Amino acid sequence: METAVTGIISHDLNGIVIGWDVGAEKIFGYSHTETLGSPISRLIPPDLLEEKAETLRQLARMERVAPFETRRIRKDGQLVSVLLVFSPVPDFMGKVVAITKVVCEVTTRREAEPTPATPFIKIGNDSVAQRPAQDFSLNRLLY
């Protein structure tokens, strides 16, 4: 089984990267020195910029943001599916001054998952294409 790559990214409330670990380098292709001081928005597809803005507003108000899957852009321009888990970083007075996020690359997992049109079931070491629910009977397959 392949393990997912996980990275940690931190940015201030203006979206400027202030932390970038080796996992983030592996996911996105940018080195630590390339990202520090640069806008986090370069990783976000244009159609998802509002998603980022709303998440940032919620975190700035110390509201919980549930982890969610979304898309981001790698240095080479390819889209990558990621799971994001956010944590606001407050100062000593409790005011949010930065955001730290754990980014888990899930593209490989998503590509390995069957599409809704062709779900698969596992029987022993074999994968079998499953028919639509109204047409599929496990008993017919086994007997």
Side-chain angles (χ1 to χ4, degrees), residues 43-108:
L43 302 176
I44 303 170
D47 63 320
L48 296 177
L49 287 172
E50 183 53 36
E51 171 190 89
K52 174 203 158 270
E54 179 55 30
T55 301
L56 188 61
R57 284 190 289 270
Q58 288 177 289
L59 291 165
R61 294 188 302 259
M62 292 292 286
E63 294 176 11
R64 183 181 183 284
V65 174
F68 63 90
E69 288 188 20
T70 188
R71 295 169 294 136
R72 293 296 182 254
I73 304 170
R74 292 184 169 141
K75 184 178 181 178
D76 64 8
Q78 291 185 10
L79 288 176
V80 59
S81 294
V82 294
L83 173 69
L84 301 177
V85 181
F86 298 91
S87 179
V89 180
D91 65 11
F92 68 96
M93 298 291 288
K95 179 182 175 196
V96 176
V97 293
I99 307 298
T100 295
K101 60 184 89 171
V102 176
V103 181
C104 184
E105 193 268 331
V106 296
T107 300
T108 306

